[in-house]
Amino acid sequence: MPMEHTNCSAASTVVETAIGTMLTLECILGLMGNAVALWTFFYRLKVWKPYAVYLFNLVVADLLLATSLPFFAAFYLNGKTWKLGHTPCRVLLCLLTCSRGVGVAFLTTVALDRYLRVVHPRLRVNSLSLRAAWGISSLIWLLMVVLTPQNLLTCKTTQNSTECPSFYPIGETEVSATCQEVLFFLQVLLPFVLISFCNGGLIRTLQKRLRESDKQPRIRRTRVLVAVVLLLFGLCFLPSVLTRVLVHIFQEFESCSVQQAIVQASDIAGSLTCLHSALSPVIYCFSNPAFTHSYRKVFRSLRGRRKAAGSPSSNLRDCYS
């Protein structure tokens, strides 16, 4: 966080325990949900399209994000006491920040891909090969890796080895801190605007084209998927944007109660930015029936039911095609 007041403790056992518990649940759900999705990609999908490539990379990013969460959960459950030293803190923070940024980038790429294919089907970009889709995915990973090391190399740590900047690394200089803030807002607000625009255009186009009664369920399914994507993005990232704005507004206030409230709100909002890794499987289920079938099999297995015999395999036919 950019607001530091060494003489004002922001400790709250209730808030820290709640955040640690939330991160633990996000880790469990994220690992389980995305592991099933990964299995589905390898063993259930018979046809791969660029859309599937982008979703696959989203799954990988969410899995990487989930693997970093147990360490931050322990950090909060131990009263914001870091026991692993500076280097692991920075490495894990880099992993969290990079995978979170990659996840947002691929959510945006999926929305943009569907928008272009449905609203502007004659554009040459819609004829991209799988190799081109993998190339675009590699460029996204490379871009996010290049942007992320600021958080690893310039993040400020204190003399106390038990502290870790957690979700909000602080730049060593005012310039680096400002760059990090600008980068964060661009990584959240720009994708949100693009996703909203693309999904809005997608819905309008489908409503014009699919007026037949037998195709109305397809529109309803698409509407639900659009609503889920926007709700997921808004729930996970907009609170973080709001709290970081409040930090800058109230950073000069001397009141400890105000400082504590802002710090605690920022910690809660920061933990919500990782929630999308646990909720992304909802998007997969609406995108392809193969994922729905895989998750149902897991639920049946967990509930002790016998596996349904002779279930047909699904090809990659998303709800926008």
Side-chain angles (χ1 to χ4, degrees):
M1 283 201 43
M3 181 174 61
E4 284 188 306
H5 298 275
T6 56
N7 295 325
C8 183
S9 173
S12 172
T13 303
V14 175
V15 173
E16 292 165 2
T17 302
I19 293 174
T21 303
M22 183 187 305
L23 292 175
T24 302
L25 292 175
E26 290 173 1
C27 173
I28 295 172
L29 294 176
L31 288 176
M32 291 179 59
N34 287 286
V36 173
L38 196 64
W39 179 88
T40 304
F41 273 110
F42 285 123
Y43 297 104
R44 296 285 301 170
L45 296 184
K46 305 302 181 183
V47 177
W48 281 63
K49 297 179 182 178
Y51 182 68
V53 173
Y54 305 141
L55 280 180
F56 175 81
N57 282 274
L58 176 60
V59 170
V60 174
D62 287 343
L63 279 172
L64 290 176
L65 176 61
T67 59
S68 68
L69 294 184
F71 303 96
F72 292 106
F75 171 66
Y76 281 98
L77 291 174
N78 289 326
K80 298 181 77 171
T81 300
W82 186 259
K83 298 183 177 181
L84 301 179
H86 292 315
T87 300
C89 170
R90 295 188 176 193
V91 170
L92 288 168
L93 185 59
C94 181
L95 176 62
L96 183 148
T97 306
C98 181
S99 56
R100 184 173 57 191
V102 170
V104 173
F106 278 108
L107 276 175
T108 308
T109 305
V110 167
L112 185 60
D113 176 78
R114 294 296 84 197
Y115 171 79
L116 292 175
R117 289 181 181 277
V118 174
V119 181
H120 303 287
R122 297 183 180 180
L123 292 179
R124 292 185 61 185
V125 70
N126 294 320
S127 60
L128 285 177
S129 63
L130 281 181
R131 178 176 296 182
W134 281 111
I136 292 173
S137 300
S138 300
L139 288 177
I140 291 175
W141 280 97
L142 180 61
L143 176 63
M144 297 310 304
V145 169
V146 168
L147 294 176
T148 299
Q150 292 187 67
N151 301 302
L152 177 62
L153 300 176
T154 67
C155 121
K156 187 195 316 185
T157 54
T158 63
Q159 296 298 321
N160 189 343
S161 62
T162 63
E163 294 185 3
C164 182
S166 187
F167 301 106
Y168 300 106
I170 309 164
E172 290 284 4
T173 66
E174 184 176 351
V175 174
S176 63
T178 301
C179 289
Q180 287 176 259
E181 289 295 288
V182 171
L183 179 61
F184 173 81
F185 283 109
L186 287 177
Q187 285 180 334
V188 173
L189 295 180
L190 183 59
F192 183 72
V193 171
L194 284 174
I195 290 174
S196 300
F197 172 79
C198 291
N199 286 333
L202 188 66
I203 289 295
R204 288 192 298 270
T205 301
L206 287 178
Q207 285 177 329
K208 293 178 182 178
R209 294 180 183 175
L210 307 179
R211 296 186 181 278
E212 297 87 348
S213 59
D214 61 330
K215 295 183 178 180
Q216 290 304 310
R218 187 192 229 172
I219 296 178
R220 287 195 294 269
R221 189 168 61 247
T222 303
R223 284 176 175 171
V224 173
L225 177 58
V226 167
V228 167
V229 172
L230 293 178
L231 179 63
L232 184 153
F233 205 97
L235 174 64
C236 295
F237 297 104
L238 294 188
S240 185
V241 171
L242 177 60
T243 54
R244 290 182 83 148
V245 170
L246 292 177
V247 164
H248 291 288
I249 294 175
F250 293 105
Q251 62 183 347
E252 301 300 330
F253 275 54
E254 298 297 331
S255 170
C256 275
S257 60
V258 173
Q259 296 170 19
Q260 291 174 1
I262 294 298
V263 169
Q264 292 163 11
S266 297
D267 285 342
I268 294 173
S271 65
L272 286 176
T273 61
C274 303
L275 183 60
H276 75 90
S277 66
L279 299 182
S280 290
V282 179
I283 298 177
Y284 311 146
C285 287
F286 280 103
S287 299
N288 189 283
F291 293 100
T292 306
H293 176 74
S294 296
Y295 288 117
R296 283 177 178 171
K297 285 182 65 177
V298 172
F299 291 146
R300 291 193 186 110
S301 177
L302 292 176
R303 294 173 60 180
R305 294 183 179 180
R306 296 183 61 181
K307 183 169 54 176
S311 56
S313 61
S314 298
N315 290 336
L316 183 60
R317 295 175 56 92
D318 59 69
C319 61
Y320 299 114
S321 297

